């Protein structure tokens, strides 16, 4: 969901409040909150995936012997495990 989509819902909500359409306000408030939460969750997921990829890249493109490679591998695994935990 893009920020533009979130803003469209916000504009609808604002118009309903301004026009005093109470029946629409509750529904649109819930829709706005849902849109914002979805947008934030998607942004967090993208950022988390990028962080895990950095760890993967360290392991793949900068091969290290010993603990260095293992740390990068464990880092990527921990990031992905947290993502799975938070989305369940």
């Amino acid at each position: 969901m893009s920020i533009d989509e979130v803003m469209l819902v916000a504009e609808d909500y604002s118009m309903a409040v301004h026009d005093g359409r109470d029946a629409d306000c509750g529904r649109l408030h819930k829709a706005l909150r849902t849109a914002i939460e979805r947008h934030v969750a998607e942004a967090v997921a993208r950022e988390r995936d990028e962080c895990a990829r950095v760890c993967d890249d360290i392991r793949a493109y900068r091969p290290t012997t010993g603990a260095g490679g293992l740390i990068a591998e464990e880092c990527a695994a921990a990031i992905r495990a947290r993502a799975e935990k938070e989305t369940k």
Side-chain angles (χ1 to χ4, degrees):
M1 167 167 273
S2 72
I3 194 65
D4 292 333
E5 291 170 303
V6 173
M7 292 308 297
L8 287 174
V9 177
E11 288 171 13
D12 288 346
Y13 176 70
S14 175
M15 289 172 56
V17 169
H18 179 68
D19 293 343
R21 297 187 327 244
D22 292 337
D24 288 339
C25 287
R27 179 182 57 79
L28 289 169
H29 181 270
K30 184 176 179 179
L32 178 58
R33 182 173 192 84
T34 300
I36 291 169
E37 288 173 351
R38 183 173 154 203
H39 177 74
V40 170
E42 289 171 357
V44 168
R46 282 191 303 273
E47 187 65 23
R48 183 179 287 129
D49 187 54
E50 285 299 315
C51 290
R53 286 183 194 185
V54 168
C55 294
D56 290 339
D57 288 348
I58 289 170
R59 181 70 169 145
Y61 298 112
R62 295 183 194 164
T64 57
T65 58
L70 184 58
I71 291 170
E73 194 173 296
E74 289 175 348
C75 180
I79 291 168
R80 290 187 175 104
R82 179 158 180 150
E84 288 177 21
K85 179 181 174 184
E86 289 181 4
T87 57
K88 289 183 180 181

